[in-house]
């Protein structure tokens, strides 16, 4: 069974940092592009970043470029999102997802709250 | 990277057909056949309903269909059922090697 389990969310002060993890199981993790998407509760989905199967290609939305870094450890079947210089606008539920088209699958998300 | 444009809400009577539009530009929807549609029920993760404009994943009802004309993609739900009440999001690959979502459409079965 395919599983994506996000962790690492929580309360962080403005200007702080947080690293999210997404543990993958039930499929050959190293074969897929992976993505991070966030959603403010009650609002829409926002694509943040993607990384290719071996980690050599990364892309970011303008809203997080220079602040967030996506990475992966295929030996550990884990995807990461390092988030720096966090502001209130980054408060959201963060999802990891496998692919955006065919073979798409989503985790249940981890909540990040940026507040003093 | 502007969000794709979707109507905020669409409603229909059970059994009717409804269509949700998703308008972008030639740099995203119009330029690529990588348009997907997701269904999201409250408190749940999104679920893929259509990928690559017209393709349905295994297990998705054939009441859901997708199409595209120019810079606008569309999702049609035929024979609307109460269980189809949810938020629907389109997404497209872009010329910037990124993806962009629409603002979402709330579907209501009256």
């Amino acid at each position: 069974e395919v599983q994506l389990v996000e962790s690492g969310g929580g309360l962080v002060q403005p200007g702080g940092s947080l690293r999210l993890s997404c543990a993958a199981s039930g499929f050959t993790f190293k074969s897929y592009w992976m993505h991070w998407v966030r959603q403010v509760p009650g609002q829409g989905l926002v694509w943040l970043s993607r990384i290719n199967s071996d980690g050599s290609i990364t892309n970011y939305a303008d809203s997080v470029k220079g602040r967030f870094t996506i990475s992966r450890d295929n030996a550990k079947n884990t995807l990461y999102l390092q988030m720096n210089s966090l502001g209130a606008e980054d408060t959201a539920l963060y999802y990891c997802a496998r692919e955006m088209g065919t073979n798409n699958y989503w985790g249940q998300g981890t909540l990040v709250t940026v507040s003093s | 990277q502007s969000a794709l444009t979707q109507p905020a809400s669409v409603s229909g009577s059970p059994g009717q057909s409804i269509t949700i539009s998703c308008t972008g530009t030639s740099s995203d929807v119009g330029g690529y056949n990588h348009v997907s549609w997701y269904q999201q029920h409250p408190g749940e993760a999104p679920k893929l309903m259509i990928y690559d404009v017209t393709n349905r994943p295994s297990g998705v009802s054939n009441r859901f269909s997708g199409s595209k004309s120019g810079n606008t993609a569309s999702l049609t739900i035929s024979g609307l059922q109460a269980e189809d009440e949810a938020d629907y999001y389109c997404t497209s690959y872009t010329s910037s090697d990124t993806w962009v979502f629409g603002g979402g459409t709330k579907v209501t079965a009256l």
Side-chain angles (χ1 to χ4, degrees):
Chain A
E1 178 194 3
V2 173
Q3 279 200 317
L4 294 171
V5 179
E6 301 91 340
S7 61
L11 177 64
V12 60
Q13 291 191 336
S17 298
L18 211 55
R19 188 177 83 156
L20 305 183
S21 299
C22 170
S25 61
F27 66 100
T28 306
F29 178 70
K30 64 182 180 181
S31 297
Y32 293 91
W33 285 80
M34 297 295 295
H35 300 251
W36 286 100
V37 175
R38 72 184 178 188
Q39 184 174 36
V40 175
Q43 296 187 23
L45 300 169
V46 176
W47 181 87
L48 297 178
S49 181
R50 70 169 185 167
I51 186 168
N52 72 333
S53 57
D54 67 6
S56 61
I57 299 172
T58 59
N59 301 104
Y60 298 91
D62 288 344
S63 59
V64 303
K65 196 177 298 182
R67 298 191 301 125
F68 289 11
T69 302
I70 191 171
S71 62
R72 65 192 296 162
D73 185 335
N74 285 344
K76 295 182 178 180
N77 290 340
T78 303
L79 174 73
Y80 302 101
L81 185 67
Q82 176 67 43
M83 305 187 296
N84 299 329
S85 302
L86 288 165
E89 69 277 10
D90 298 313
T91 293
L93 184 65
Y94 285 72
Y95 292 102
C96 66
R98 183 185 76 177
E99 305 284 356
M100 279 288 111
T102 182
N103 298 312
N104 171 257
Y105 196 86
W106 296 68
Q108 290 302 307
T110 185
L111 184 63
V112 172
T113 302
V114 184
S115 175
S116 54
Chain B
Q1 296 178 350
S2 299
L4 306 176
T5 300
Q6 296 182 233
S9 62
V10 173
S11 60
S13 300
Q16 280 189 327
S17 292
I18 63 169
T19 297
I20 304 167
S21 61
C22 170
T23 301
T25 69
S26 58
S27 295
D28 39 64
V29 175
Y32 303 91
N33 285 325
H34 296 308
V35 176
S36 299
W37 289 91
Y38 301 90
Q39 176 193 67
Q40 187 180 36
H41 286 109
E44 296 184 6
K47 174 188 175 184
L48 181 68
M49 305 302 284
I50 296 288
Y51 67 94
D52 291 347
V53 179
T54 61
N55 296 291
R56 244 184 346 265
S58 173
V60 171
S61 170
N62 59 10
R63 297 186 297 104
F64 292 84
S65 62
S67 63
K68 190 181 83 168
S69 177
N71 296 336
T72 298
S74 299
L75 174 71
T76 297
I77 307 175
S78 304
L80 188 66
Q81 299 181 2
E83 67 202 48
D84 299 332
E85 286 200 338
D87 294 323
Y88 291 83
Y89 296 90
C90 62
T91 189
S92 173
Y93 184 71
T94 83
S95 59
S96 301
D97 293 328
T98 61
W99 289 77
V100 62
F101 280 95
T105 298
K106 183 177 183 63
V107 168
T108 303
L110 299 171

